[in-house]
Amino acid sequence: MRIFELGRSALHAQSHLMQQMAIRLGRQAAFLVVAAVFGFFALVSGHGLLWALFLFAFHWGPVTSAFAVFALDLIVALICVLFGRRSYLTTAEVDARIARNRCMTQIRESVTMAAVTATVATSVGRHGTRKIWDVLRRKKG
């Protein structure tokens, strides 16, 4: 019975672990989507304003202004990709992994103990009972 309880605990810990992993991967996907959307809209909407700013305020040429706008877009998109790619384990995920591993270790120990007990009990049960019965018969006879 203990083996089934440990198995149920291990499955519960595994499901909790998978939920935490799904949350973490969902956050990563959300950051990557935001990075893609921001990168697209930055390329579309901000170019005209930045190009005009560089052209008229800083007195750069049209090609230099366009290059500066492109460089800023790449920097912002790279920062968002880096935020989206980072992946830190949460404490709940670590706790779930520890609980799962502990339950699996206890299951292995219980199964091993049950196998050893069954082996010893059957061996002692068959041969031991016969030996005791032979000793008792000899004393009577």
Side-chain angles (χ1 to χ4, degrees), residues 17-34:
L17 172 66
M18 293 186 79
Q19 287 174 350
Q20 293 299 319
M21 286 175 58
I23 290 170
R24 181 171 46 94
L25 292 175
R27 283 187 190 133
Q28 280 183 293
F31 271 119
L32 291 174
V33 167
V34 168

Side-chain angles (χ1 to χ4, degrees), residues 117-129:
T117 304
T119 303
V120 169
T122 56
S123 177
V124 168
R126 270 187 267 144
H127 301 296
T129 311

Side-chain angles (χ1 to χ4, degrees), residues 73-93:
D73 288 338
L74 283 180
I75 289 170
V76 170
L78 180 65
I79 289 171
C80 289
V81 166
L82 291 177
F83 275 127
R85 291 291 303 152
R86 73 178 182 169
S87 175
Y88 294 117
L89 294 176
T90 62
T91 55
E93 193 173 348

Side-chain angles (χ1 to χ4, degrees), residues 38-48 73:
F38 183 80
F40 176 73
F41 284 124
L43 287 173
V44 172
S45 64
H47 290 89
D73 288 338

